[in-house]
Amino acid sequence: TLEKAKRKLEDDIEDVKDKLEEEEDERKKLQDLVRKLEAENADLRSKLDAATARIGQLEKMAEQLQRQLNEQVNSLEGEIKDKSGLEKLKKKLENDLSQNNARLEAWGRAQQHHHKNK
């Protein structure tokens, strides 16, 4: 019976060792998962910061274009009053339209590029 008790105790010790190993493996898995999630979080923060910066750039660009448009409207109002300058005005408007179309296309490409990089 002493031998039986000894074997039982040894079996119990082996069971405890196995459980400890399982718990250690689980702890390592959880640590790996935490590291992975922390890395993903850092990556997402970086992408968010970049997107926020890009949005700021695009907002500044839109404000600049709005100011230029307002300036052009004010300039046009003055030129329209001078009927002798209508041909000059027409050429200026065509040139302004061409420039604004080019800016708008560039802005659109920037927007598409920004959305592709999201």
Side-chain angles (χ1 to χ4, degrees), residues 73-95:
V73 167
N74 291 338
S75 174
L76 290 177
E77 288 173 349
E79 292 178 18
I80 289 173
K81 291 177 184 173
D82 179 14
K83 292 184 181 182
S84 64
L86 287 179
E87 189 59 37
K88 179 181 170 187
L89 174 61
K90 180 183 175 190
K91 287 181 183 178
K92 183 182 182 318
L93 287 174
E94 289 170 348
N95 184 41

Side-chain angles (χ1 to χ4, degrees), residues 44-105:
L44 290 173
R45 282 184 193 270
S46 174
K47 287 178 180 179
L48 177 61
D49 290 345
T52 300
R54 184 65 181 146
I55 288 170
Q57 291 172 340
L58 293 173
E59 287 173 344
K60 285 181 183 178
M61 187 184 298
E63 289 171 5
Q64 181 184 16
L65 289 172
Q66 184 63 46
R67 277 193 305 275
Q68 289 173 350
L69 181 60
N70 289 342
E71 290 170 4
Q72 290 173 352
V73 167
N74 291 338
S75 174
L76 290 177
E77 288 173 349
E79 292 178 18
I80 289 173
K81 291 177 184 173
D82 179 14
K83 292 184 181 182
S84 64
L86 287 179
E87 189 59 37
K88 179 181 170 187
L89 174 61
K90 180 183 175 190
K91 287 181 183 178
K92 183 182 182 318
L93 287 174
E94 289 170 348
N95 184 41
D96 288 350
L97 179 62
S98 175
Q99 288 177 356
N100 285 333
N101 280 336
R103 285 187 188 117
L104 185 59
E105 288 175 30

